[in-house]
Amino acid sequence: MAKTRKKQNRAAASKGKATMTNAMSIHKKKISNKDKTNSKKNKKTVNNVSVLAKNKNIKNIKNINKKRITRTINTSNTLQNNTTEKQLQITNNNKSKKRRASKNKVKLTQVNNSNDNSVKKVQKLKKTIDKKNKIVRKVNSVNQVVGSVNKNTIKIDKIPKINIERLKEMVATKEKDEKKISKKVKEVLPLRERMMTKLKASRFRFLNETLYKNSSTQSKKYFKEDPEAFTAYHEGYKYQVTQWPLNPLNVIIESIKNMPNNHVIADFGCGEALLASSVPQKVHSFDFISMNEKVQACDMAHTPLLANSVHVVVFCLSLMGTNLGDYIREANRVLKKDGMLKIAEIESRFDKIEDFIKSISEYGFVNTWKDLSQNLFYFLDFKKIKDITTSRNKFPEITLKSCVYKKR
Ligand code: SAH
């Protein structure tokens, strides 16, 4: 019995063990399954998360790109709008300019037309008035004849009626028209004057250049053949002087006024001889053409002055031409020993002032004073220290740049 119970117990135990093992293995399996599922789940979740993240990123990127694109589109739209607006503005401006120009054209044509019309009207009126006057005269003479024959017996039927009031009206209209015409002529005149000023200015520039770029012999010939050109040149020169902060001639006039009254002065290239009429001393004035009784016409390279006869030689803006050396040689010839050579020139004509001073010195002079501080002009004084007798080609060439005046 006991054996059987033991066997039974053992069997039961082994069964229990087997059941336990089974249960455990089932449990284990379950766990591993669970793990698997979990890990799968996790994997899925991770995948989902990464997909989500990816999607989110893409979405973000897409959004950002969308925003950027929209912004770019907006900017380009604005730019396009601006450009179109500007184009419109430019077109409008051009249009209004064109409109203004054509308006002006129309105005001018109107003025011209109305001038023509008014002139025609006046001429017509004049004719009518003349006719009427003729008739009046005829009537008067007829009346006289009639009166002299028989005042009461003869009747003249066909005397045209003269409407005096109408005549008066016509005369008044004629006067009005004349006034209108003169007003319009005055309006048109400034344009004419402006054109003339421009023409004069360009002629002045041309003559100025002629003087700078030719030898004095050529310039003298040029002005001799066309003295009117000389007057035109001086008109232009006078205008030019008004544009400068100072007239250099005034500086020279002041310095000469301070010199002894018995000094003799020679003004080389004197223009209108303003120096001669502004100082108490005796002044010999030379220029190509004599513009008044004070000026002696000559090429200043060969003046009629005696050697060693003057105290001062002045070149005020007159060093023009390709043979400047000839003028300085002539100055040396006519100046007394220790005599003074005064030069005023436009600053922009000098390349290097020292070079200019050096070359003048080689013509028997020494530089005693200079003022380079004035706006636009250089002022230089030299003293004659010796006569120069050596031949012409032994001296250095003196060159200055041409002075180009601006267009008005
Ligand atoms: N010195 C005057 C005029 C200056 S304009 C003044 O300051 O108001 C320059 C003048 O020099 C012109 O009238 C020109 O005809 C004159 N000129 C230039 N070269 C000349 C020459 N070789 N002979 C005579 N006159 C000359």
Side-chain angles (χ1 to χ4, degrees):
M1 259 294 274
K3 256 185 185 181
T4 325
R5 221 178 268 162
K6 252 183 190 179
K7 259 184 189 177
Q8 273 176 347
N9 279 346
R10 234 184 269 149
S14 75
K15 208 181 173 183
K17 209 178 173 184
T19 323
M20 271 271 277
T21 329
N22 272 347
M24 268 173 74
S25 72
I26 285 165
H27 190 67
K28 251 185 184 177
K29 244 185 192 173
K30 265 186 189 172
I31 286 171
S32 84
N33 279 344
K34 243 186 192 171
D35 276 355
K36 266 182 192 169
T37 335
N38 274 347
S39 81
K40 264 185 191 170
K41 263 187 190 169
N42 281 346
K43 245 185 184 174
K44 237 186 188 175
T45 323
V46 168
N47 279 344
N48 281 346
V49 166
S50 66
V51 168
L52 269 175
K54 259 186 195 170
N55 285 344
K56 220 179 175 182
N57 274 346
I58 289 165
K59 248 188 189 173
N60 275 347
I61 289 163
K62 268 186 186 172
N63 279 345
I64 289 165
N65 281 347
K66 232 183 188 177
K67 274 183 194 165
R68 272 188 196 157
I69 289 162
T70 332
R71 240 183 286 135
T72 326
I73 288 169
N74 283 346
T75 333
S76 81
N77 279 347
T78 329
L79 276 174
Q80 231 176 347
N81 284 346
N82 283 349
T83 324
T84 338
E85 259 173 41
K86 272 186 185 158
Q87 268 173 349
L88 264 174
Q89 265 180 8
I90 289 164
T91 337
N92 283 345
N93 277 350
N94 285 346
K95 270 185 188 169
S96 64
K97 267 184 195 169
K98 268 188 191 168
R99 242 182 277 134
R100 251 181 276 138
S102 71
K103 256 189 190 172
N104 285 344
K105 223 181 173 182
V106 170
K107 265 189 191 169
L108 203 72
T109 339
Q110 277 173 352
V111 167
N112 286 340
N113 285 346
S114 67
N115 272 350
D116 288 351
N117 287 342
S118 309
V119 171
K120 273 181 196 163
K121 263 189 194 171
V122 170
Q123 279 170 351
K124 223 179 172 182
L125 278 172
K126 260 188 177 176
K127 271 185 189 169
T128 330
I129 290 166
D130 284 350
K131 264 186 193 172
K132 298 265 175 189
N133 282 342
K134 257 187 191 175
I135 294 166
V136 172
R137 259 182 269 128
K138 264 186 191 172
V139 170
N140 283 343
S141 63
V142 170
N143 272 344
Q144 269 179 5
V145 175
V146 170
S148 67
V149 178
N150 192 333
K151 273 181 195 169
N152 299 319
T153 51
I154 299 169
K155 273 189 181 178
I156 298 164
D157 291 334
K158 280 190 178 176
I159 297 172
K161 280 183 184 170
I162 310 289
N163 187 342
I164 301 293
E165 287 310 309
R166 174 80 190 113
L167 262 177
K168 274 184 186 170
E169 242 176 57
M170 283 162 90
V171 171
T173 333
K174 183 198 155 207
E175 275 171 3
K176 255 189 200 172
D177 281 349
E178 271 176 353
K179 268 183 194 166
K180 265 189 203 168
I181 292 168
S182 72
K183 203 182 160 194
K184 271 167 192 166
V185 165
K186 267 179 204 161
E187 278 169 11
V188 175
L189 209 64
L191 175 74
R192 209 180 109 84
E193 265 174 15
R194 267 181 276 144
M195 295 304 289
M196 288 304 287
T197 317
K198 284 211 165 164
L199 271 175
K200 278 182 190 171
S202 62
R203 187 161 191 214
F204 167 69
R205 283 197 303 275
F206 168 77
L207 293 169
N208 197 50
E209 216 175 297
T210 308
L211 277 166
Y212 280 124
K213 301 216 164 129
N214 289 292
S215 72
S216 59
T217 319
Q218 287 164 320
S219 296
K220 188 183 171 193
K221 195 167 165 258
Y222 181 89
F223 284 128
K224 212 174 172 186
E225 281 165 11
D226 185 4
E228 197 273 322
F230 191 77
T231 321
Y233 173 77
H234 272 280
E235 246 181 61
Y237 179 79
K238 267 200 267 184
Y239 170 80
Q240 201 52 54
V241 173
T242 64
Q243 303 301 299
W244 290 331
L246 67 98
N247 181 356
L249 187 66
N250 287 337
V251 177
I252 290 176
I253 288 172
E254 286 314 306
S255 72
I256 289 177
K257 272 184 184 169
N258 290 329
M259 291 177 186
N261 277 359
N262 61 356
H263 266 27
V264 180
I265 322 288
D267 188 2
F268 280 29
C270 63
E272 293 180 16
L274 198 62
L275 172 62
S277 50
S278 311
V279 297
Q281 292 91 346
K282 162 88 192 142
V283 181
H284 298 279
S285 309
F286 302 104
D287 210 305
F288 283 128
I289 299 281
S290 170
M291 291 184 78
N292 56 51
E293 72 288 350
K294 287 199 168 73
V295 186
Q296 296 182 58
C298 78
D299 173 359
M300 63 193 184
H302 312 283
T303 68
L305 291 173
L306 293 176
N308 306 308
S309 60
V310 301
H311 297 85
V312 183
V313 169
V314 174
F315 290 98
C316 183
L317 307 192
S318 57
L319 288 176
M320 308 172 101
T322 51
N323 53 324
L324 303 186
D326 290 345
Y327 309 151
I328 304 299
R329 269 160 48 85
E330 178 66 357
N332 179 287
R333 184 186 73 80
V334 302
L335 271 171
K336 293 172 183 284
K337 174 118 192 305
D338 293 337
M340 188 185 280
L341 168 65
K342 286 183 89 63
I343 295 175
E345 261 310 332
I346 295 171
E347 174 194 345
S348 60
R349 296 194 64 199
F350 297 91
D351 248 340
K352 272 189 191 162
I353 188 71
E354 299 79 29
D355 291 350
F356 179 78
I357 291 174
K358 192 169 171 270
S359 44
I360 297 282
S361 309
E362 291 187 40
Y363 283 73
F365 293 98
V366 63
N367 180 226
T368 51
W369 175 84
K370 59 177 184 270
D371 182 357
L372 313 180
S373 68
Q374 298 293 333
N375 194 0
L376 216 62
F377 304 104
Y378 280 173
F379 295 90
L380 300 154
D381 282 356
F382 295 87
K383 190 166 83 175
K384 173 179 166 179
I385 48 170
K386 63 174 182 202
D387 283 319
I388 47 168
T389 44
T390 33
S391 73
R392 187 175 184 248
N393 44 19
K394 292 250 165 75
F395 294 95
E397 204 189 340
I398 301 172
T399 48
L400 285 176
K401 285 188 272 181
S402 298
C403 166
V404 186
Y405 292 109
K406 272 192 234 155
K407 280 188 184 176
R408 274 184 233 167

